[in-house]
Amino acid sequence: MGKFLFYDIDGTLMGKSKQITEKTKWAIEQAQRNGHKAFLCTGRAPTSISDDLKEIPFDGIVCSAGGFVIVNNEFIFENFMNQYVLSEVMTLFINNHILFTLESKDALYQTPGVNEFFMQRQQLDFKNNLELARFFEIRRANENRKPIKDFNILKTGITKVCFIAPAKQDFQRCVPFLEEFFNIVIFSKAEDDFINGEIILKHCTKADGIIKVVNHFHGQMKDTIGFGDSMNDYQMLEEVNIGVVYENAPQHLKDLGQYYFTDPDQDGIYKVMKEMQLISD
């Protein structure tokens, strides 16, 4: 039985160039030819999976950090927030001046100010914050982005909420109310004067999505390998049998690794897959 390989995208498959190197593409397809199965395992919503990623014949996708699981182009799992909880979150964020994006199966709903924030921060912050850069790219990309006024809570399910608090203290006031229902993932750095991140339903993480994939194929968790670089990969790397972590990841994440990869733009994933003997030239 081959291995189940789960790859985060931003900071793992893609570095600052926001492109997958040709050697990394080759490595993934070679691993599949060697009998392994390869999956994206990402915080991105289904509508945010870009065309260059779709060109690689992945066996499936865990997206929205576990909110959706796709195998062979079919959704085998969808999980949405309770409407009453979501309503409370939206009210809490609005009252505390927090910008946010609601992720659904088919669209992203943004509050006013999200795009303006990214434009103002572009030059200052993006080169050191890959997740922030990703959300700016989403604004410009050919995606189904809609204003929050078009969102109908009674008709559209939401699986994850991304947020930006221009003032740190505004978000910190919200934390006690969020912790009961959500895992809170922070992407910004301690020295930043803002906080950006996402809230993910408890018991619906990348790890939970991986378990659903493995069960779908009647596999075993001992055959799982996860590749990640940031704290929204923590549950994934904690759950899989072998963790492969970016060498410059937070130490808390690196502690979960058995292997480490270098800069994705310098073929880091290709090199570590070769080291692990998943592929050979």
Side-chain angles (χ1 to χ4, degrees):
M1 180 71 179
K3 303 299 183 183
F4 295 89
L5 312 177
F6 295 90
Y7 299 89
D8 173 55
I9 297 175
D10 300 288
T12 300
L13 286 181
M14 295 180 174
K16 291 181 180 180
S17 71
K18 307 310 259 179
Q19 296 180 346
I20 303 179
T21 69
E22 290 302 316
K23 281 193 173 183
T24 295
K25 292 178 183 177
W26 178 88
I28 293 169
E29 295 183 30
Q30 182 63 36
Q32 290 173 304
R33 288 189 285 270
N34 290 343
H36 308 299
K37 293 188 180 298
F39 304 86
L40 291 174
C41 193
T42 177
R44 294 193 188 194
T47 189
S48 301
I49 305 301
S50 52
D51 290 341
D52 55 338
L53 293 168
K54 293 176 182 177
E55 291 174 358
I56 301 173
F58 287 101
D59 296 284
I61 307 172
V62 176
C63 48
S64 290
F68 299 104
V69 180
I70 305 168
V71 175
N72 296 326
N73 296 317
E74 293 185 9
F75 284 81
I76 67 167
F77 177 75
E78 302 175 15
N79 188 63
F80 301 109
M81 294 181 183
N82 177 283
Q83 293 174 344
Y84 297 103
V85 173
L86 176 59
S87 177
E88 291 294 324
V89 169
M90 293 173 66
T91 300
L92 183 68
F93 280 179
I94 290 169
N95 288 344
N96 284 279
H97 317 293
I98 294 172
L99 313 174
F100 61 89
T101 298
L102 306 179
E103 293 192 0
S104 75
K105 185 176 180 179
D106 301 310
L108 306 176
Y109 296 88
Q110 294 182 326
T111 56
V114 171
N115 293 340
E116 290 76 9
F117 177 87
F118 288 128
M119 292 177 69
Q120 291 171 3
R121 291 282 180 174
Q122 181 181 10
Q123 297 300 322
L124 180 62
D125 298 306
F126 284 6
K127 62 182 180 180
N128 294 319
N129 189 329
L130 291 174
E131 292 292 337
L132 199 58
R134 174 172 74 82
F135 287 118
F136 183 75
E137 288 183 1
I138 286 173
R139 184 190 70 83
R140 296 179 298 176
N142 184 24
E143 292 181 308
N144 191 16
R145 293 176 292 106
K146 297 182 178 181
I148 198 70
K149 66 180 179 61
D150 290 349
F151 174 64
N152 186 329
I153 198 170
L154 298 178
K155 295 183 178 180
T156 304
I158 296 300
T159 191
K160 192 181 72 171
V161 181
C162 303
F163 65 84
I164 310 161
K168 285 184 175 183
Q169 64 272 19
D170 289 339
F171 181 73
Q172 290 163 349
R173 283 195 297 269
C174 299
V175 169
F177 303 96
L178 297 172
E179 286 179 325
E180 180 179 356
F181 299 100
F182 301 99
N183 293 309
I184 303 171
V185 181
I186 304 298
F187 296 125
S188 49
K189 302 180 185 302
E191 60 269 23
D192 291 329
D193 60 357
F194 63 94
I195 296 178
N196 82 289
E198 59 192 22
I199 56 173
I200 304 167
L201 283 168
K202 290 184 177 180
H203 312 300
C204 187
T205 65
K206 287 185 177 184
D208 298 293
I210 286 172
I211 292 170
K212 289 177 174 62
V213 168
V214 173
N215 288 342
H216 179 84
F217 286 99
H218 306 289
Q220 300 182 61
M221 292 302 294
K222 69 179 180 64
D223 293 319
T224 55
I225 302 174
F227 299 75
D229 74 299
S230 68
M231 290 308 295
N232 74 343
D233 298 315
Y234 187 87
Q235 288 89 357
M236 171 181 75
L237 293 168
E238 190 176 41
E239 185 66 41
V240 296
N241 187 43
I242 297 175
V244 188
V245 185
Y246 180 44
E247 63 177 3
N248 292 331
Q251 187 60 48
H252 196 45
L253 200 70
K254 289 173 67 175
D255 291 342
L256 298 176
Q258 287 81 47
Y259 292 88
Y260 302 90
F261 62 90
T262 55
D263 187 349
D265 287 338
Q266 301 300 318
D267 300 317
I269 294 298
Y270 159 81
K271 292 173 183 175
V272 77
M273 288 178 65
K274 191 174 179 182
E275 176 188 350
M276 298 171 69
Q277 299 183 338
L278 294 169
I279 59 170
S280 59
D281 288 333

